[in-house]
Each structure stands twice: as C-alpha cells, then as structure tokens.
C-alpha cells in the first residue's frame, strides 16, 4: 500500500479508503494506494507551511546543492524509478531509461543552476532622495497536481523550479500513476529539509482539497482543460495564483513543397509517441491539396509499420480502461464521410493497447477534429491556400502547439506568426528544450513550464523604496 510522504516520512491516510492501481499492459491489479482526505491534506500543508520560513531563507547556493544532490540520486536510482514508471504506464523500458529519466535529471540540474541566476533591475533613484530596487521572492506553499501521461517527468517539471525559487511543495500525482512521485519524495527526504517537499495521494477530491486549502499560495496543474477550469474556479474563490498547463489539439500544416515520405515519418513519430498521450501530440494534420493523397498514403504506410503490444513496441498502452473507451468512442462516432485508413481498434486482447490509426477526409466540425484525442490517432484534412490552412488551424479552442512543414522560409515565418499557439515548430514536431518555455494560450491554459520563464512563475515581485 503506497502512502503519503509528509515531512520526509511515510504517513498513512486518516481513513481506510484505498484506490486500486492497474497495470495498463495487462489490465490486472498491480497495487493499492491511500485515498487522502481533508485531514491528510491539512497535515501535508501544515508541514509545507512550517518548512517555508527556513527554506525561503536558504541561499541560492544551498538550494542548488540540494537539487543537484537529488538529481544525482535520481540518476543512480534510475532502474528503480523505471520499474515503478513502467508498472503504472506500460511504457517501453528503453523509452523510460534512455529518454525520460535523463530528461528528469537534466531538469533538476537546470533549475539548480537557475536558482543562482535570478536577475533584477538595478537599484537607482527614480524619485529625488529615494532609492528603489526590486526583490524577487518565493510565493510560498505551492500545491501541484501532476498528470498520468508522464508521471515522473511532470512531477520534476513542477517541483524543480518551485523549490529552486525557495517555495515549499505539496504534490499530488495522478491517482493511476503515484509510485514515482512517492519514490521522488523518499529520495528528496535525504536532500531537503523536512516539509520542503511532500506528496499526498488520492483522487479528484484530494486535489480539490489542496486547491481550496487556506495555506495554499499557488496552484499548478498539468491536466485536461476540464480539470484546469475546475482548479481555476476553486482557486478564484480565494484569489490564489494559478499555473495551468492544459490540453492541446496541435495542427500540423503541411504545404505542397515538402518531401512527403520524410514528412510522414516525422509526423507519425510525433503522433504515436507515448501512445499519443501527449498534449502536443501531432494528431491534426492539415495537408495542401497538391500533396493530400500522397501524404495520406504515406501516413497510412508509416502507421501500419508502427508497433504496439509487442516485445519491441514503439509505444505502450493507453493509461486506463476509461481512456481506451474514450478513444474508441471518438472513432465509433465518426461520420460516414470519414475514411478510416488503418487502425481504429484495440490492438490486443490484454491491457489497453490501441492500434496506430489514420483517418482521412475529415471536416472541421467533426468531434475528433475539435476535441483532444490523447491516443495514437492522426486525422487528416485538406486545404487549398495558406490563409485557409491558418484559419483551420486556429479554429479550435486549444492553443498549445503547432507545426509548419515547408521548404519556404518566408512562408514558415509568416504562418508561425499567425498561428495562435504557444509553441510552433518548423519541419519538426515535438522536441522541447529546457532553455525554452513550454505553455499555451486560450483553453490550453496559461503560465510556462521549463526555462527561466517557469522559474519566474514561482516568484513574486516586490518594490522596495528607501529614503536617503
């Protein structure tokens, strides 16, 4: 039974309520976790609030050393973290060990360095006889809610900038993928003062208790738009700061001058990575009419060659039976005009695997075009002009990521400026770097992960003026 980690120690929940964990590769029970309630949240929030005065007064160098030590411990314990991540996500082991955990280690080291690079305006006299300067200060106690698609990575993306800036944290992982967050808190207990980083486990009610708690100063969530609206609504009642990294429905604008085969391979790699369970997934392809038929054929061929539910799988299962049902429902409700070129069904008689899917001849008002899919599905639409492509791309409620595929540099610059999305790639889709911000507009939320912009999200600005 997984338990909360509060002030560096395992703490059982105050009630006997428990949640069942399921291995998505088999569909069978893999363990149980406590389902925390108000008193458990109170305990964790009190611990974080008690630890805040000491942690905020620590020097940037001290915070840097602690985060670097945590990064080293995560790196040396990679196999243990990978076992836990794979048990609850079903991801291919090579992906977790070779890609995701190294990125987590790198993020901790990046924000360890950011702790010592906080910049401010120069102190000067803007009024005669008075000197002004600006202080950047930690916000306070941060309640953070992580998703199930990248459990460890999203936990690190949240705690690293918050801790580096001098805040304390209470993290709630997704109820289906809590193990790596618990491991991270156990590991951090050896590097951080008690109460600096705490983990509470539970369902949506646990998350709501965190958001509404009077000791919470800032709420950060990575999740669906629905969950983000719920958090924002609850936080607004007490004017808490929010940081919302929400859903996406990324358009890929493919113009007639591309290498079609190469483009199709790149799109499929970005669409099917992590079974399409990514808010930036390359799911919504807009193809110029001159290459539409050729591109659909190339995407279909590439998708048919992508493996899942095998020993050498390119991607693993969907997270849960509910997610499998949701993706299948989107397929089943397609209109008669839609052309299912490949896939569109469960890929195995065990677990929650879904086959790589390509659907052509879709319309802008189709449900599967307007809604985030979060599964290994590519939809394809046709456009005739640059202006039409931009209009179709922007005609959804999301604004997280997009990409432009063309050999025309001027077109790439024009279109990227017109796309209403927080990240626009050119001739690629999906790469993120720690030095650049990640975050969206509109129903994809607000606030930035990664980079110095993320670090700034976890600080507040204070003007200090002294009479000379």
């Amino acid at each position: 039974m997984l338990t909360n980690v509060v002030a560096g120690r395992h703490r059982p929940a105050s009630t006997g309520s428990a949640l069942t964990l399921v291995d998505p590769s088999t569909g069978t029970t893999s363990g149980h976790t406590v389902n925390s309630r108000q008193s458990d949240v109170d305990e964790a929030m009190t611990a974080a609030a008690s630890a805040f005065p000491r942690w905020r007064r620590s020097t940037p160098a001290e915070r840097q050393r602690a985060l670097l030590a945590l990064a080293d411990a995560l790196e040396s314990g990679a196999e243990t973290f990978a076992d836990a991540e794979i048990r609850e996500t079903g991801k291919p082991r090579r992906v977790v060990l070779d890609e995701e955990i190294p990125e987590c280690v790198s993020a901790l080291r990046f924000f360890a360095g950011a702790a010592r690079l906080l910049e401010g305006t120069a102190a000067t006299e803007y009024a005669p006889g008075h000197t002004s300067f600006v202080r950047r200060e930690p916000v306070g106690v941060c309640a953070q809610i992580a998703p199930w698609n990248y459990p460890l990575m999203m936990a690190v993306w949240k705690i690293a900038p918050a801790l580096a800036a001098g805040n304390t944290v209470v993290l709630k992982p997704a109820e289906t993928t809590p193990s790596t967050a618990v491991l991270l808190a156990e590991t951090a207990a050896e590097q951080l003062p008690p109460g600096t980083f705490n983990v509470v486990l539970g369902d949506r009610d646990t998350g709501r208790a965190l958001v509404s708690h009077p000791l919470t100063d800032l709420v950060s969530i990575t999740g669906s738009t629905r969950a983000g609206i719920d958090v924002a609504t609850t936080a607004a009642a007490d004017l808490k700061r929010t940081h919302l990294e929400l859903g996406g429905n990324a358009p890929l604008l493919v113009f007639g001058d591309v290498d079609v085969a190469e483009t199709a391979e790149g799109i499929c790699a970005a669409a099917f990575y992590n079974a399409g369970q990514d808010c930036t997934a390359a799911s919504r392809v807009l193809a110029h009419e001159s290459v539409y038929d050729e591109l659909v054929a190339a995407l279909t061929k590439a998708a048919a060659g992508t493996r899942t539910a095998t020993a050498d799988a390119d991607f693993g299962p969907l997270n849960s039976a509910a997610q499998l049902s949701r993706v299948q429902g989107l397929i089943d409700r397609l209109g008669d005009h839609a052309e299912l070129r490949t896939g569109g069904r469960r890929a195995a008689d065990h677990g929650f695997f879904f086959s790589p899917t390509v659907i052509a001849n879709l319309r802008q008002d189709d449900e599967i075009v307007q809604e985030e899919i979060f599964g290994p599905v590519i939809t394809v639409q046709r456009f005739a002009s640059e202006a039409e492509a931009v209009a179709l791309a922007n005609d959804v409620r999301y604004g997280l990521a997009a990409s432009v595929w063309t050999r025309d540099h001027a077109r790439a610059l024009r279109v990227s400026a017109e796309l209403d999305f927080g990240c626009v790639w050119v001739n690629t889709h999906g790469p993120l770097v720690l030095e650049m911000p990640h975050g969206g507009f509109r129903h994809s939320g607000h606030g930035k992960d990664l980079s110095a912009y993320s670090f700034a999200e976890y600080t507040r600005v204070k003007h200090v003026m002294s009479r000379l």
Side-chain angles (χ1 to χ4, degrees):
M1 172 76 77
L2 288 176
T3 63
N4 299 333
V5 180
V6 177
R9 301 178 62 184
H10 282 277
R11 299 290 297 173
S14 57
T15 69
S17 176
L19 298 171
T20 299
L21 301 175
V22 175
D23 182 343
S25 293
T26 63
T28 59
T29 298
S30 62
H32 295 86
T33 175
V34 299
N35 191 16
S36 303
R37 286 298 173 253
Q38 187 65 54
S39 60
D40 307 306
V41 171
D42 288 343
E43 181 182 33
M45 295 301 298
T46 299
S50 298
F52 178 60
R54 174 185 175 186
W55 186 243
R56 75 174 297 184
R57 288 194 299 269
S58 62
T59 66
E62 289 170 334
R63 297 198 292 272
Q64 181 190 49
R65 283 195 294 271
L67 288 175
L68 288 175
L70 179 56
D72 292 344
L74 172 56
E75 189 171 48
S76 64
E79 293 285 349
T80 301
F81 278 92
D83 289 341
E85 188 89 346
I86 293 164
R87 185 171 59 249
E88 293 173 358
T89 65
K91 297 181 182 189
R93 190 173 190 84
R94 59 178 172 76
V95 171
V96 176
L97 278 175
D98 297 344
E99 299 177 30
E100 294 190 10
I101 290 180
E103 283 300 311
C104 293
V105 172
S106 184
L108 286 166
R109 290 173 176 158
F110 175 86
F111 285 108
R116 300 185 72 170
L117 285 174
L118 188 61
E119 297 180 353
T121 57
T124 192
E125 291 70 48
Y126 296 100
H130 296 76
T131 296
S132 290
F133 64 93
V134 170
R135 288 179 55 87
R136 279 275 185 177
E137 300 177 342
V139 177
V141 177
C142 299
Q144 301 184 316
I145 300 172
W148 45 256
N149 57 336
Y150 297 100
L152 179 60
M153 188 180 298
M154 295 300 98
V156 169
W157 280 18
K158 291 194 175 303
I159 71 164
L163 294 173
N167 302 282
T168 54
V169 169
V170 179
L171 173 74
K172 191 196 89 66
E175 61 192 81
T176 58
T177 55
S179 291
T180 48
V182 172
L183 280 173
L184 191 62
E186 290 174 350
T187 305
E190 301 176 12
Q191 328 296 340
L192 301 170
T196 306
F197 171 36
N198 312 273
V199 168
V200 293
L201 310 177
D203 57 17
R204 291 177 183 173
D205 288 338
T206 309
R208 291 189 181 102
L210 276 174
V211 176
S212 62
H213 200 279
L215 293 177
T216 298
D217 296 298
L218 179 149
V219 183
S220 173
I221 180 174
T222 297
S224 67
T225 296
R226 178 202 54 76
I229 292 173
D230 190 10
V231 165
T233 301
T234 303
D238 197 28
L239 294 179
K240 301 181 192 300
R241 286 178 58 171
T242 58
H243 176 274
L244 311 175
E245 203 286 286
L246 309 178
N249 191 1
L252 294 84
L253 288 66
V254 181
F255 289 90
D257 58 350
V258 300
D259 181 315
V260 172
E262 181 181 16
T263 299
E265 290 290 340
I267 291 173
C268 284
F272 301 141
Y273 188 84
N274 202 39
Q277 298 172 122
D278 191 310
C279 51
T280 65
S283 55
R284 188 163 60 101
V285 175
L286 306 172
H288 188 265
E289 57 189 9
S290 64
V291 292
Y292 176 87
D293 291 331
E294 185 182 358
L295 182 64
V296 169
L299 289 170
T300 302
K301 180 180 178 181
T306 303
R307 304 176 301 274
T308 191
T310 63
D312 58 347
D314 296 302
F315 66 84
L318 298 176
N319 176 255
S320 64
Q323 186 63 15
L324 177 66
S325 177
R326 182 184 178 280
V327 174
Q328 187 66 66
L330 289 169
I331 304 294
D332 293 344
R333 291 190 296 274
L334 288 170
D336 293 339
H337 60 277
E339 300 171 2
L340 181 61
R341 294 302 183 95
T342 188
R345 62 189 181 278
R346 194 171 182 172
D349 58 5
H350 61 277
F352 310 129
F353 295 94
F354 200 83
S355 55
T357 299
V358 176
I359 308 165
N361 201 36
L362 286 163
R363 300 170 182 168
Q364 187 67 11
D365 60 354
D366 284 331
E367 177 190 22
I368 203 167
V369 169
Q370 289 295 320
E371 296 299 322
E372 182 177 37
I373 301 171
F374 233 60
V377 178
I378 295 173
T379 66
V380 192
Q381 297 169 258
R382 188 191 311 259
F383 69 84
S385 68
E386 182 179 306
E388 183 186 11
V390 171
L392 291 171
N394 287 337
D395 185 28
V396 294
R397 59 180 178 152
Y398 303 96
L400 183 59
S403 60
V404 183
W405 300 73
T406 180
R407 294 176 178 172
D408 186 330
H409 181 67
R411 174 191 287 145
L413 292 180
R414 279 195 313 271
V415 173
S416 62
E418 294 298 321
L419 289 171
D420 196 14
F421 298 83
C423 175
V424 179
W425 292 285
V426 177
N427 294 325
T428 187
H429 191 102
L432 296 172
V433 292
L434 287 161
E435 294 81 2
M436 289 287 111
H438 173 63
F441 311 141
R442 297 181 286 157
H443 277 229
S444 291
H446 57 77
K448 299 298 181 184
D449 288 327
L450 309 180
S451 79
Y453 293 93
S454 176
F455 185 75
E457 293 276 340
Y458 291 97
T459 67
R460 64 184 188 182
V461 175
K462 177 187 290 183
H463 168 219
V464 178
M465 177 182 278
S466 176
R467 184 165 65 89
L468 299 180

